C-alpha cells in the first residue's frame, strides 16, 4: 500500500514540475492495463486522437465490468484526466463544455466556455456559482470576462485582477527548484497571457479616448490610436514556439480573436471616413486565424486546421494575401487527410485566381500538381507544375516539387532526359532558395556520383553551378574532395575552386591533408611498379610537383627528429619519405589510436602499412600479378589526376590569399610537429593495447602465447628500439630496452612467458611501471614558450578560429571570430594509457576553444569526421520536428580539424571523463584491482575454451561468472555515487540527468541505426557538467562484401549502472521517449527522402575508403581504387546499406496507424514497443554475459 502511495505522490510531483515523460514512465511501470501503457505512449508522441479513443475505450470497459474492479481508482482518474487533456489538444471545446456541465465541473467550464465562445452561459451560470482554487489561470479568465463584459469600470477591474494573477504566478515561481527551466514553461506562458490582458485593456482605453477625440475634433486623425497599432504590431511578432502544444496557441490566439472583434466593432462605421482603420481589425483577425490553422496543420491536426479555417473568421471579405494563405492551408490539410483529395481539388479548382498576384497563382498551380500526383495522375501533375513555373520562375517550392516529379519519372522510365530535368529543377530550387531546398544537395551529389555514361547530371550541374550561392557547399567539402579521384572530378573541382576563393579557411585544412595523402599514395605506388614510377617522374618533371613548389612542409619528417619512436619498422625504397610513415609498427598504429583502445582487427607489423587515411595502399611489386599491374597504372593515373586537381585548387587559394596560406602553414606545421607524444608515452599506449589484446584472446589463460601475439610483440620491440630510436632517444633506450626485451621479446626464449596468464601479468607490471614513470617524470602542464617559440610569438592577421563553417548557414567572411593567440598552458590529457597535448585557441572575441592533438591515427580516422557530418544533418532534422524539438534532442558534435594524414585536432571539453574512469576511480578508492573482473571472467571460462562442453553450457558458464561478478565485485551504484559526489546539489543532479539521458538515448539510437558495436566504457566520453556525450571510434565496420558487419548480442550499451542512475522508470520515461522521438523526427514524410540521400553519401565515402583499405587477393581485384570497382556493384552496395539502416529506423519509430488497424489489436500495443524491446535486450543478463570481458558488461 505504501509503495502505491509513494509512487502516486512521486507522479504528482513530476506533474507539478512539468516532467511529463518521467510521469508517463512511472505510470507505465505501475499500470495494470495495457490501455494505460499504450495510451500514455501515444500522448508522449502527440497522437492525441488515437490516445483519446483508447482512454475512452478503457473507461467504457471499466464501467461494463470487463476488468472485474481490479483497476485502482488512481489509474481510472488518470484515464479521465488524459481524455480531457487530449480533448483540449484537439480543441474539442463543445465536448469539454458538455462534460463540464454534466459533471458540474466549474474549472473545466471556466476554461472552455470562453473559447466556444459562450459568454452568456458563463455570466449566468458559472461566474456566480464557481468556487474554484485561486490560481493565475482563474484570475486570467476573470480578467477576460471583465474586459469582455465592458461594464463601466471593466478596464479598472481587469487591471486589478491581473495584478493579483501576477502575484499568484510569482508565488508559484518561487516554489519551483532553481535550475529547472522546464518546470517554469507553463508559468512563462501564463505571464504572456497576463501581459496581453493588460495590453487589451490599453487597447480598449485607446479606442475610447480616440472616439471621444474624433467626435469632437473633425479633421486629421494624426497620432490617434497609435497605442492600439503598436500593440497589434507586437502581437504579430510575439507568438509561442512552433513546437508548443496546440492548447498554448489556442489560449493565446483565441483571446486575441476576441479583441479583434472589439476593434472591428469599434470601427465598423468608419468604412467611408477612414477605410484603413475600418480594415485594421479584419486584417489582423484573418492573420490570427490563418496562423492558428497553420500551427494545427504543422502539428498534424488536420481536422482541427480545417475547422478553425471554416468557423473562426465568420466575415465575408478578406484581404487578398490572407485569402491566399487560407486557401493554401486548407488545401495542404486536405492533401494529408484520408479521403479528402477530391474536396481539396474542388477547393483549388473553384478558386477565382484573377485577384491574386502571379506568385500566389503559381503556388496554387503547384498545389494542384501535388493533388494530381497523389491521385497518381502524373500527366496532369506535370502540366500543373510547368504552369506554376512558367507563371512565376522564382518559386523554390515549385522547382523542388517539379524536380521530385522528374526524379520519379526517371526512376520509372529510366529515360535520361528526366534525370537531367530533375537535377536542373533541384539546383534552381536551391538557387531561388528556401531553407528546405538546401537539403536536396545531398540528392544532387548522389546523382552526380552515379551519373550516367552520357553525363546528364554533370551537364545540368555545370549549367546552374554559377548561380548557386557558394556557402551552400561548405558542409560538403570532404565529399567533394573524395570525388576528385572519381569520374565526377571535373564538376567537383569547379565547386572547390569557387570555395577556395571565397571561403579559403573552410577548405584549407582538408585540402592540405588531402594533398599530402595523395602525394604519399603517389610515392607508395613507386614501390609497386617501375612503370608507374617513370610516369610519375615524367609528370613531376613536367609540372614541378615537388613538395617545395606547393609550399607544404611535410611535418612528419620533423616529427621523426622530434620524437618518432615508430618510424624504423618499415624500410621504404625512397629515403626522402622515410618520415612520412610515422605510423610504422604496431607502436603508433595501435597505441595512439584515438583514446588508447585497440582497433577491432589485429594488426601485425607486416600489414600496418597504412598510407594516408583514406587512400588506396599498394603492396610491393612481388605481390602484384599482371592484372595487378594494370590496376596500379590506373590507380596511379587517378592518383596523379586527383593530385593535379587538388594542387590546382591549392594554387588558386594561395594566389588569392597568400598571407593567410603562409600563416596557416606555419600554424599547422608547428602543431603537427611540436605536440607529438614522447617515446615513453607511446610505449605505454602500446602496452595498454597489448594487454587489451590478451584479455580479448579466445585462448585459455593457461595455454601458451598465441603466434600472432608473439609476432606483434617482436614487431613492437623492433619498432620501439629501432636504430632510429637508438640515435634520437638515447635515455629512453638506455632505461627500457634491456628489461623490456628480456620480459617481452619472443626472441629471448629463456625469459619469455610460458602462458598467456604470465604474459598478461608481465604486461600489467610494465603498464604500472610506465604509467608511474610517465606521471611522475613528466609535468602535467607544459609551457607554450618551451614547446613552441614560434606559436608563442606568432601574430596572425587573417587566421580564424577553426570550425566556424559547420553550421550550414550563410556566413559573412567578416563575421567570423579571428584567432588571437594560443593559450600559454598546454595540459597533458591522459586517458587509458594514451596521452594528448591540449591546446587552447583564444579568439578575438575572448572565447576559448580547447583541442587535443591526436597523433598516429588509424586509417579509420576519417570515418569519425564523416559520422559527425551525418550527425549535424540529423540535428537539423531533430530541430524541425515537434516531438524532438520540445525535448531539446541534439547530438553533441565536437569539431575535428585534420592537420596531416596522421595528426588531427579534436575539440575537447575540460570536463570530459570516460565511463571507464568512473569505474577505475571507484576501484582506486576502494583499493581494488580494476582488471580483476576481467581476469576472473576469463579464468571461469578456461574449461569452455578447451572445448569439452556444449554451446548451451558455455552460455550458462558465462552467465554464472557474470552473476558472480555483479554480486560480489561490481555493484550497480558506482556511477550514481560518482555523479552524486561530483555535482553540487539535487538541482544540478536533475538537470544533468535529463541532459545525459537524452545524450545516451541518442548514442543508443545511432548505435542501433548504424549497427555500431564495440562500445567499451573507455570509448565513451561524457562532460561531467552538461552530460554531453562524445563517442570515440564511432563508426560501422564492414564485412568482405561491403555490408555493415555487426554481431553483438546487445543493440547498444545500456548497462546496470546506467539503469540504476536513471531508475527503471527513468529509462522508460526519458530514454525510451527520446529514442522514439529521434526516430519519429527522421522518418517523418518530409525528412525520410533527405535522410536516404544523406546516408547514401555517407556510405559512398565509407565504402570508397573501405575498398582501398582491403588486403589484396579479395574478389574485387588487386589494389581496388574507386575507379576500378564496378560502378553498378558499388552503387548496389551503397543502396543496400542505406535501405537496411532506414528499415531499422522505421521498425522502431512510433507509427501513426489508422483507427481500423488500431482497433484490430487487442490488447492495444504501445507505439514505443520497438524501442522498449531493444532496451530490454540491452539490459538482459543473458545477452550481456555474451559480451567480451573488456566491454565491462557488468559495469
Amino acid at each position: 500500500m505504501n509503495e502505491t502511495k509513494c509512487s502516486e505522490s512521486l507522479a504528482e510531483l513530476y506533474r507539478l514540475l512539468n516532467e511529463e515523460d518521467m510521469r508517463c514512465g512511472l505510470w507505465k511501470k505501475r499500470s495494470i492495463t495495457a490501455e494505460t501503457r499504450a495510451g500514455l505512449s501515444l500522448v508522449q508522441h502527440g497522437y492525441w486522437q488515437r490516445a483519446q479513443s483508447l482512454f475512452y475505450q478503457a473507461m467504457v470497459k471499466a464501467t461494463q465490468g470487463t476488468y472485474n474492479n481490479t483497476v485502482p481508482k488512481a489509474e481510472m482518474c488518470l484515464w479521465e484526466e488524459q481524455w480531457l487533456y487530449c480533448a483540449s489538444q484537439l480543441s474539442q471545446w463543445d465536448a469539454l463544455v458538455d462534460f463540464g456541465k454534466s459533471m458540474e465541473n466549474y474549472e473545466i467550464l471556466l476554461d472552455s466556455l470562453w473559447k466556444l465562445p459562450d459568454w452568456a452561459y458563463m455570466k449566468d451560470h458559472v461566474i456566480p456559482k464557481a468556487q474554484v482554487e485561486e490560481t493565475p489561470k482563474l484570475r486570467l479568465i476573470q480578467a477576460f470576462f471583465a474586459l469582455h463584459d465592458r461594464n463601466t469600470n471593466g478596464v479598472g477591474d481587469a487591471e486589478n485582477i491581473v495584478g493579483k494573477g501576477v502575484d499568484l504566478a510569482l508565488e508559484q515561481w518561487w516554489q519551483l527548484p532553481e535550475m529547472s527551466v522546464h518546470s517554469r514553461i507553463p508559468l512563462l506562458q501564463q505571464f504572456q497571457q497576463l501581459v496581453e490582458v493588460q495590453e487589451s485593456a490599453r487597447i480598449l482605453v485607446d479606442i475610447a479616448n480616440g472616439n471621444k477625440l474624433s467626435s469632437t475634433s473633425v479633421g486629421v486623425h494624426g497620432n490617434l490610436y497609435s497605442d492600439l497599432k503598436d500593440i497589434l504590431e507586437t502581437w504579430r511578432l510575439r507568438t509561442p514556439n512552433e513546437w508548443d502544444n496546440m492548447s498554448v496557441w489556442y489560449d493565446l490566439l483565441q483571446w486575441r480573436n476576441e479583441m479583434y472583434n472589439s476593434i472591428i466593432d469599434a470601427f465598423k462605421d468608419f468604412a467611408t471616413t477612414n477605410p484603413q482603420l475600418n480594415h485594421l481589425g479584419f486584417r489582423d483577425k484573418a492573420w490570427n486565424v490563418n496562423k492558428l490553422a497553420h500551427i494545427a496543420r504543422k502539428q498534424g491536426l488536420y481536422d482541427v486546421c480545417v475547422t478553425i479555417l471554416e468557423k473562426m473568421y465568420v466575415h465575408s471579405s478578406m484581404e487578398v494575401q490572407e485569402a491566399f494563405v487560407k486557401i493554401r492551408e486548407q488545401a495542404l490539410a486536405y492533401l494529408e487527410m484520408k479521403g479528402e483529395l477530391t474536396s481539396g481539388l474542388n477547393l483549388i479548382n473553384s478558386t477565382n485566381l484573377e485577384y491574386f498576384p502571379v506568385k500566389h497563382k503559381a503556388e496554387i498551380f503547384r498545389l494542384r500538381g501535388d493533388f494530381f500526383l497523389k491521385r497518381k495522375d502524373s500527366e496532369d501533375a506535370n502540366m500543373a507544375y510547368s504552369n506554376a513555373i512558367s507563371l512565376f520562375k522564382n518559386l523554390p517550392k515549385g522547382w523542388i516539387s517539379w524536380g521530385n516529379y522528374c526524379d520519379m519519372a526517371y526512376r520509372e522510365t529510366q529515360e535520361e532526359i528526366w534525370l537531367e530535368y530533375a537535377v536542373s529543377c533541384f539546383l534552381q530550387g536551391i538557387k531561388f532558395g528556401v531553407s528546405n531546398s538546401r537539403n536536396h544537395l545531398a540528392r544532387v551529389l548522389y546523382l552526380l556520383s552515379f551519373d550516367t555514361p552520357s553525363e546528364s547530371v554533370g551537364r545540368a550541374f555545370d549549367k546552374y553551378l554559377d548561380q548557386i550561392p557558394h556557402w551552400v557547399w561548405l558542409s560538403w567539402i570532404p565529399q567533394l574532395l573524395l570525388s576528385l579521384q572519381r569520374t565526377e572530378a571535373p564538376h567537383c573541382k569547379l565547386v572547390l575552386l569557387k570555395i577556395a576563393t571565397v571561403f579559403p579557411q573552410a577548405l584549407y585544412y582538408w585540402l592540405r591533408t588531402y594533398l599530402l595523402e595523395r602525394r604519399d599514395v603517389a610515392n607508395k605506388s613507386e614501390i609497386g611498379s617501375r612503370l608507374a614510377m617513370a610516369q610519375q617522374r615524367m609528370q613531376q618533371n613536367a609540372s614541378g610537383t615537388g613538395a617545395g613548389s606547393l609550399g607544404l612542409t611535410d611535418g612528419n619528417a620533423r616529427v621523426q627528429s622530434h620524437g618518432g619512436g615508430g618510424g624504423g619498422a618499415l624500410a621504404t625504397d625512397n629515403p626522402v619519405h622515410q618520415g612520412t610513415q610515422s605510423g610504422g609498427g604496431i607502436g603508433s598504429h595501435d597505441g595512439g589510436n584515438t583514446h588508447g583502445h585497440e582497433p577491432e582487427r589485429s594488426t601485425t607489423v607486416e600489414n600496418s602499412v597504412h598510407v594516408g587515411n583514406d587512400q588506396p595502399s599498394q603492396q610491393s611489386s612481388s605481390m602484384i600479378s599482371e592484372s595487378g599491374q594494370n590496376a596500379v597504372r590506373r590507380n596511379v593515373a587517378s592518383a596523379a589526376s586527383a593530385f593535379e586537381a587538388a594542387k590546382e585548387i591549392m594554387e588558386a587559394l594561395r594566389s588569392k590569399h597568400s598571407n593567410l596560406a603562409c600563416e596557416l602553414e606555419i600554424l599547422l606545421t608547428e602543431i603537427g610537429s611540436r605536440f607529438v607524444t614522447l617515446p615513453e608515452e607511446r610505449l605505454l599506449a602500446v602496452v595498454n593495447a597489448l594487454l587489451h589484446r590478451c584479455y580479448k584472446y579466445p585462448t585459455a589463460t593457461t595455454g601458451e602465447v598465441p603466434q600472432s601475439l608473439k609476432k606483434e610483440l617482436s614487431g613492437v620491440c623492433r619498432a620501439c628500439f629501432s636504430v632510429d630510436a637508438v640515435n634520437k632517444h638515447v635515455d629512453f633506450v638506455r632505461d627500457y630496452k634491456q628489461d623490456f626485451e628480456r620480459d617481452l621479446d619472443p626472441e629471448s626464449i629463456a625469459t619469455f612467458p610460458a602462458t598467456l596468464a604470465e604474459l598478461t601479468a608481465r604486461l600489467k607490471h610494465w603498464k604500472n611501471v610506465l604509467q608511474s614513470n610517465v606521471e611522475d617524470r613528466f609535468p602535467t602542464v607544459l609551457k607554450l614558450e618551451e614547446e613552441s617559440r614560434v606559436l608563442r610569438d606568432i601574430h596572425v592577421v587573417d587566421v580564424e578560429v577553426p570550425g566556424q563553417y559547420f553550421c550550414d548557414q550563410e556566413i559573412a567572411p567578416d563575421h567570423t571570430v579571428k584567432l588571437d593567440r594560443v593559450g600559454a598552458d598546454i595540459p597533458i590529457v591522459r586517458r587509458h594509457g594514451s596521452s594528448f597535448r591540449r591546446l587552447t585557441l583564444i579568439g578575438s572575441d575572448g572565447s576559448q576553444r580547447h583541442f587535443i592533438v591526436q597523433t598516429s591515427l588509424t586509417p579509420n580516422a576519417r570515418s569519425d569526421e564523416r559520422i559527425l557530418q551525418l550527425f549535424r544533418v540529423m540535428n537539423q532534422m531533430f530541430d524541425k520536428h515537434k516531438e524532438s524539438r520540445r525535448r531539446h534532442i541534439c547530438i553533441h558534435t565536437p569539431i575535428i580539424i585534420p592537420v596531416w594524414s596522421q595528426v588531427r585536432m579534436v575539440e575537447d571539453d575540460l570536463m570530459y571523463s570516460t565511463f571507464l574512469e568512473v569505474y577505475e576511480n571507484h576501484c582506486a578508492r576502494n583499493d581494488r584491482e580494476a582488471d580483476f573482473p576481467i581476469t576472473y571472467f576469463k579464468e571461469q571460462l578456461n574449461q569452455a575454451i578447451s572445448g569439452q562442453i556444449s554451446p548451451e553450457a558455455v552460455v550458462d558458464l558465462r552467465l554464472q561468472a557474470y552473476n558472480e561478478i555483479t554480486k560480489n565485485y561490481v555493484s550497480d551504484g558506482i556511477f550514481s555515487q560518482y555523479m552524486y559526489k561530483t555535482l553540487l546539489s539535487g538541482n544540478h543532479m536533475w538537470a544533468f540527468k535529463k541532459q545525459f539521458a537524452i545524450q545516451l538515448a541518442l548514442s543508443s539510437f545511432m548505435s542501433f541505426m548504424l549497427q555500431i558495436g564495440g562500445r567499451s566504457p573507455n570509448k565513451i566520453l561524457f562532460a561531467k557538467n552538461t552530460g554531453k556525450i562524445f563517442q570515440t571510434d564511432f563508426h560501422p565496420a564492414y564485412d568482405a562484401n561491403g555490408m555493415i558487419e555487426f554481431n553483438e548480442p546487445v543493440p547498444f550499451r545500456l548497462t546496470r549502472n546506467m539503469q540504476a542512475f536513471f531508475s527503471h522508470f527513468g529509462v522508460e520515461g526519458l530514454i525510451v521517449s527520446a529514442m522514439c522521438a529521434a526516430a519519429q523526427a527522421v522518418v517523418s514524410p518530409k525528412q525520410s527522402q533527405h535522410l536516404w540521400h544523406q546516408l547514401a553519401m555517407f556510405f559512398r565515402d565509407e565504402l570508397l575508403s573501405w575498398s582501398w583499405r582491403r588486403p589484396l587477393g579479395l574478389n574485387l581485384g588487386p589494389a581496388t581504387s574507386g575507379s576500378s570497382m564496378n560502378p553498378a556493384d558499388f552503387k548496389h552496395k551503397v543502396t543496400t546499406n542505406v535501405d537496411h539502416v532506414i528499415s531499422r529506423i522505421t521498425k522502431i519509430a512510433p507509427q501513426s496507424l489508422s483507427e481500423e488497424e488500431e482497433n484490430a489489436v487487442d490488447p492495444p500495443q504501445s507505439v514505443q514497443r520497438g524501442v522498449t524491446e531493444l532496451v530490454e535486450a540491452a539490459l538482459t543478463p543473458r545477452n550481456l554475459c555474451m559480451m567480451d570481458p573488456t566491454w565491462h558488461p557488468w559495469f
Side-chain angles (χ1 to χ4, degrees), residues 121-158:
Y121 188 89
M122 197 154 157
K123 185 175 182 174
D124 301 339
H125 301 283
V126 180
I127 298 278
K129 295 183 192 168
Q131 294 194 334
V132 282
E133 188 194 350
E134 283 280 306
T135 57
K137 196 165 199 178
L138 170 70
R139 290 295 183 203
L140 251 175
I141 292 162
Q142 287 172 340
F144 287 163
F145 186 74
L147 286 180
H148 181 267
D149 214 27
R150 300 212 196 125
N151 50 14
T152 40
N153 52 354
V155 170
D157 283 357

Side-chain angles (χ1 to χ4, degrees), residues 552-565:
L552 292 179
T553 17
D554 192 347
N556 281 323
R558 293 176 56 184
V559 175
Q560 290 307 99
S561 63
H562 208 75

Side-chain angles (χ1 to χ4, degrees), residues 57 1153-1165:
Q57 278 170 22
L1153 302 170
S1154 64
E1155 296 276 326
E1156 302 83 71
E1157 298 171 81
E1158 184 83 0
N1159 298 340
V1161 185
D1162 199 73
Q1165 298 276 319

Side-chain angles (χ1 to χ4, degrees), residues 225-244:
Y225 307 117
S226 60
D227 217 11
L228 159 75
K229 289 172 184 164
D230 283 351
I231 290 172
L232 291 187
E233 190 55 38
T234 311
W235 279 6
R236 279 195 178 209
L237 299 171
R238 189 175 61 209
T239 52
N241 295 313
E242 293 215 335
W243 57 89
D244 283 336

Side-chain angles (χ1 to χ4, degrees), residues 28 41 45 1000-1002 1004-1005 1008 1051-1052 1054 1067-1080 1144-1151 1166-1179:
K28 278 191 271 183
S41 69
H45 296 288
L1000 197 69
L1002 283 172
S1004 307
F1005 173 63
F1008 170 71
F1052 41 77
L1054 182 66
V1067 170
E1068 178 72 45
L1070 297 172
I1071 292 183
V1072 170
S1073 64
M1075 281 179 76
C1076 287
Q1080 204 180 354
R1144 272 194 294 278
I1145 306 177
T1146 336
K1147 245 195 324 231
I1148 62 166
Q1151 301 294 336
S1166 155
V1167 282
Q1168 297 174 333
R1169 61 182 176 278
V1171 174
T1172 319
E1173 283 162 13
L1174 289 180
V1175 168
E1176 278 165 11
L1179 287 166

Side-chain angles (χ1 to χ4, degrees), residues 561-631:
S561 63
H562 208 75
L570 292 164
T572 30
D573 285 10
N574 43 343
V576 193
H577 289 282
Q578 174 70 51
T580 40
Q581 193 53 43
S582 73
I586 181 182
S588 45
H589 183 62
D590 254 355
N593 184 358
T594 342
H595 283 278
H597 358 288
E598 19 67 68
E600 302 306 310
R601 297 165 187 67
S602 74
T603 342
T604 57
V605 173
E606 278 74 356
N607 68 11
S608 87
V609 186
H610 48 266
V611 198
N613 282 327
D614 257 351
Q615 305 308 338
S617 65
Q618 250 102 26
Q619 279 130 339
S620 73
S621 45
S622 57
M623 292 167 68
I624 295 184
S625 63
E626 271 310 299
S627 63
Q629 292 281 356
N630 299 330

